[in-house]
Amino acid sequence: MGYLLVPRLALIMGLLLLPFIIPSLYWQRVIFIVFIYALLSLGFDFLAHFVGLVSLGGGFFIGVGAYLAAILNTSLGLPPAVTIPIATIIGGAICTLLLLPCLPLRGIYFAIVTLMYPLVLMRIIEALNILGGTDGIVGVASFQSRWIEQYFIIAMVLISLFGLRRLVNEDMGLVFRGVKDNDQAVKASGISITFYKSVAVFITSALGCLGGAYLAHFYMWAGISQFALDFSIIPIAATVIGGGGTLVGPLLGTFILVPISELLRAVGTLRIVFYALILTAFIVFRSEGIMVYGQRKYHQFERWVKV
Amino acid sequence: MNPKIILQVEKVSKAFGGVQALANVSFEVFEGEIFGIIGPNGSGKTTLINCVTGFIKMDSGKVFYRDKDISGRAPHKIADLGITRTFQVMRPYYTLPAYKNLIVPLFSPRARRTGGWRGGGRLGDRDTVGIDILEEIGFERDSFVPYKLASTLPTGYLKRLELARCLALRPEVIICDEVFSGLSMSEIASMVPLIERLQMDGITLVMIEHRLRELFRVANRVMVLNFGEKLTEGTPEEVMEDERVREAYIGSAEI
């Protein structure tokens, strides 16, 4: 029992204790950005390794979620406890509807199209000067207390992680994996692959919108920088580092990548150089990802002890 | 008593670029029979069933299933009506154990309506139903075979797995794309009774085949395709006697 329980408990306790372990306010804020990236990476890993759609729409999801929450909050005066769930569900639905025409695309083509969406929306807002234009929407309400702010996102990341892990091993998850491995056979089984792909895209975009809505309340602002490319790219890097197809891996990947990127601010302009070096080192020496490597070693260790 | 037509194909044509893969092919399949489609390589057999099952859009023509026009419908909708197919190149989910391969079809709307093969009514635990179906189709229940990864199974079992995937939907019609090809003589010997049993269960079978001897043993009627055109149709004996069929297969007698 303990064999399986220990790693899970370590992860849960580690995340729950994070606000206590980290002393400075600056690093605490960094960590909550990490959690938002973690939500995106989870969604990315789910979509890429279990449904076969490589999505670069991270920025798109975050942006839609952030703007929705900001509009709901500033013009209707709804509190964060209401705006975040609404932005998650409605935002997920909006993203899924917009991505619906692209669902027949596969692999790199789907990636390119999803990358286009945040850029297009960003330029539309800028050009038409709607939704606050380049200034964004200011005056979004913040959370009531720091504790709610912190534990809300921690709980959300944990729930999504374990929820997704369960989902992919359920019967429905096998259908998702079937869509990835062999969509012809799924069609021949009388199952609409477009429906299941859109369900999967909805799950992923809802996770992204949740992160975006949280971000809007966290910064008390929603603007076009929330369509930033970072939100699309870092989840991929995190999945590569953490190990794709494990769901936990991308989470750990973000916890390594984003703080490293912050730490490297100390070296000034050379930051990108070191960042690239670290990424390359990971890809060359541990291309399978930390989690895949770690899981294998962990299982080997157990066998080794018995002998 | 006139047998009922279950599947009627009317003047189906399909061209890939300049190549006419199918030209006005028409045939009908009666309920409960085994209908064979034969023809030399490249004669359009697989294209024909791809058109019938909706995997390829046909250029012209109509397909009727129980007098209902199903031409041009999406493949999953046609499968939902009960017309299932196997693939010539086997397409299991390689990363899953054999019985888990059946979870996907058992999860489909049709299987939930019909309860899976012989399930009758409510679908129980999908794993159990999957293993039941595999046992019916020749996987030994008490061995490891149903639990093995699909990627480790030999061809004979993969062909059966394809059939099992169809059966999980409780089909009315199964269209088999070369179930005998690539099998050893003994594997074929055990496959033939299986096909006959499916027919006894009231399933209509359309079989595309290269192995004429085995097909002629089980088929009630056979259609011959050559270069996308229908040569002839009849009982296996009639077809075997036909001059043009011999020509298509062996080549013309005069040089």
Side-chain angles (χ1 to χ4, degrees):
Chain A
M1 267 318 266
Y3 173 62
L4 288 173
L5 217 58
V6 166
R8 285 163 177 72
L9 274 182
L11 178 78
I12 295 173
M13 293 315 288
L15 290 189
L16 287 180
L17 290 177
L18 218 50
F20 295 100
I21 299 169
I22 294 164
S24 79
L25 208 61
Y26 169 70
W27 279 102
Q28 282 194 358
R29 288 188 82 79
V30 170
I31 283 300
F32 294 109
I33 305 302
V34 174
F35 277 119
I36 288 162
Y37 281 118
L39 281 175
L40 285 174
S41 313
L42 263 178
F44 174 83
D45 194 25
F46 168 67
L47 212 53
H49 287 95
F50 294 97
V51 195
L53 294 169
V54 179
S55 139
L56 290 177
F60 176 48
F61 306 147
I62 290 280
V64 170
Y67 268 98
L68 262 180
I71 294 166
L72 286 173
N73 184 252
T74 50
S75 47
L76 299 180
L78 298 172
V82 181
T83 59
I84 290 182
I86 292 180
T88 304
I89 304 291
I90 306 283
I94 291 175
C95 293
T96 313
L97 271 180
L98 287 174
L99 285 173
L100 215 51
C102 323
L103 287 184
L105 301 174
R106 324 182 91 231
I108 190 78
Y109 304 102
F110 185 77
I112 293 169
V113 175
T114 48
L115 185 61
M116 177 205 77
Y117 274 95
L119 302 177
V120 166
L121 278 187
M122 200 196 266
R123 296 293 165 234
I124 287 177
I125 291 172
E126 201 178 334
L128 301 181
N129 209 14
I130 46 171
L131 302 174
T134 43
D135 294 335
I137 301 173
V138 289
V140 181
S142 69
F143 292 93
Q144 280 138 354
S145 83
R146 205 165 58 92
W147 296 111
I148 294 177
E149 182 178 280
Q150 293 174 341
Y151 278 100
F152 172 72
I153 195 78
I154 292 177
M156 280 302 146
V157 167
L158 284 175
I159 290 170
S160 343
L161 170 66
F162 287 101
L164 278 181
R165 272 173 64 115
R166 173 157 288 203
L167 174 71
V168 296
N169 288 314
E170 292 283 317
D171 289 356
M172 194 176 177
L174 292 182
V175 177
F176 283 135
R177 284 151 80 170
V179 171
K180 187 209 171 197
D181 286 352
N182 182 354
D183 55 351
Q184 298 268 305
V186 177
K187 278 190 215 164
S189 305
I191 294 177
S192 161
I193 58 166
T194 316
F195 174 74
Y196 278 92
K197 277 183 177 176
S198 49
V199 169
V201 168
F202 174 76
I203 293 172
T204 300
S205 48
L207 286 179
C209 289
L210 172 67
Y214 178 80
L215 198 65
H217 287 291
F218 187 71
Y219 281 155
M220 298 189 274
W221 171 76
I224 51 172
S225 72
Q226 273 149 353
F227 287 111
L229 221 49
D230 277 16
F231 292 117
S232 300
I233 304 299
I234 286 185
I236 301 180
T239 307
V240 168
I241 285 183
T246 58
L247 294 177
V248 192
L251 195 83
L252 294 183
T254 44
F255 272 88
I256 294 168
L257 266 185
V258 183
I260 283 182
S261 140
E262 287 298 321
L263 279 176
L264 286 175
R265 281 187 198 281
V267 292
T269 337
L270 283 176
R271 173 171 164 245
I272 297 298
V273 175
F274 283 108
Y275 196 61
L277 280 178
I278 292 170
L279 257 182
T280 317
F282 262 114
I283 289 165
V284 171
F285 297 112
R286 281 281 165 267
S287 51
E288 54 188 357
I290 296 172
M291 255 332 273
V292 179
Y293 176 78
Q295 267 175 355
R296 204 176 62 228
K297 286 290 158 197
Y298 186 68
H299 293 307
Q300 278 173 359
F301 175 73
E302 188 69 11
R303 213 175 305 157
W304 187 69
V305 167
K306 267 180 202 153
V307 173
Chain B
M1 191 185 84
N2 246 359
K4 248 172 70 188
I5 293 176
I6 191 166
L7 197 64
Q8 186 177 12
V9 176
E10 246 175 42
K11 292 190 173 170
V12 168
S13 297
K14 174 76 196 175
F16 293 111
V19 183
Q20 193 71 32
L22 290 173
N24 288 329
V25 178
S26 308
F27 64 92
E28 55 278 328
V29 180
F30 297 111
E31 196 164 355
E33 73 171 345
I34 297 184
F35 185 78
I37 301 177
I38 62 170
N41 284 330
S43 56
K45 304 184 295 289
T46 300
T47 309
L48 179 61
I49 69 160
N50 276 339
C51 287
V52 171
T53 52
F55 278 84
I56 298 182
K57 285 257 177 300
M58 50 194 147
D59 297 341
S60 65
K62 289 236 181 298
V63 181
F64 296 94
Y65 169 68
R66 291 193 195 283
D67 300 327
K68 197 171 4 162
D69 189 357
I70 57 163
S71 24
R73 289 205 192 176
H76 70 268
K77 288 196 177 136
I78 291 176
D80 195 62
L81 288 171
I83 307 176
T84 58
R85 64 169 294 184
T86 68
F87 289 94
Q88 185 175 5
V89 181
M90 289 151 294
R91 297 170 169 278
Y93 311 112
Y94 284 107
T95 51
L96 296 176
Y99 75 101
K100 285 276 184 198
N101 267 265
L102 297 183
I103 299 287
V104 175
L106 285 175
F107 199 73
S108 68
R110 180 177 173 84
R112 284 197 239 185
R113 266 199 324 270
T114 59
W117 196 35
R118 290 188 175 161
R122 252 182 69 75
L123 194 63
D125 175 20
R126 291 195 183 86
D127 289 355
T128 322
V129 177
I131 292 173
D132 285 348
I133 293 173
L134 284 181
E135 191 185 25
E136 287 271 0
I137 204 103
F139 282 62
E140 301 81 2
R141 177 190 282 268
D142 297 324
S143 70
F144 287 123
V145 188
Y147 306 98
K148 270 190 173 170
L149 281 186
S151 53
T152 62
L153 289 176
T155 321
Y157 280 113
L158 289 181
K159 295 270 182 190
R160 285 159 188 269
L161 192 56
E162 280 281 296
L163 273 177
R165 188 173 53 68
C166 295
L167 286 177
L169 291 174
R170 247 198 176 192
E172 315 253 341
V173 181
I174 301 181
I175 303 180
C176 305
D177 199 351
E178 308 215 353
V179 275
F180 290 144
S181 68
L183 297 188
S184 67
M185 289 318 281
S186 65
E187 281 171 326
I188 290 178
S190 63
M191 199 70 134
V192 169
L194 178 64
I195 301 281
E196 284 167 345
R197 210 166 71 225
L198 294 180
Q199 188 185 18
M200 299 243 299
D201 282 330
I203 297 173
T204 310
L205 285 122
V206 177
M207 298 183 69
I208 292 191
E209 212 45 72
H210 258 131
R211 299 270 205 149
L212 300 191
R213 189 182 313 182
E214 286 77 19
L215 179 69
F216 286 168
R217 261 184 65 190
V218 291
N220 302 107
R221 287 188 312 127
V222 175
M223 175 174 86
V224 188
L225 280 180
N226 193 25
F227 293 115
E229 285 179 42
K230 181 170 161 182
L231 266 189
T232 182
E233 184 189 305
T235 62
E237 292 77 27
E238 287 166 9
V239 167
M240 259 190 287
E241 295 302 312
D242 198 303
E243 225 15 67
R244 291 169 302 171
V245 176
R246 293 191 173 185
E247 238 169 67
Y249 264 92
I250 307 163
S252 172
E254 66 260 27
I255 300 160

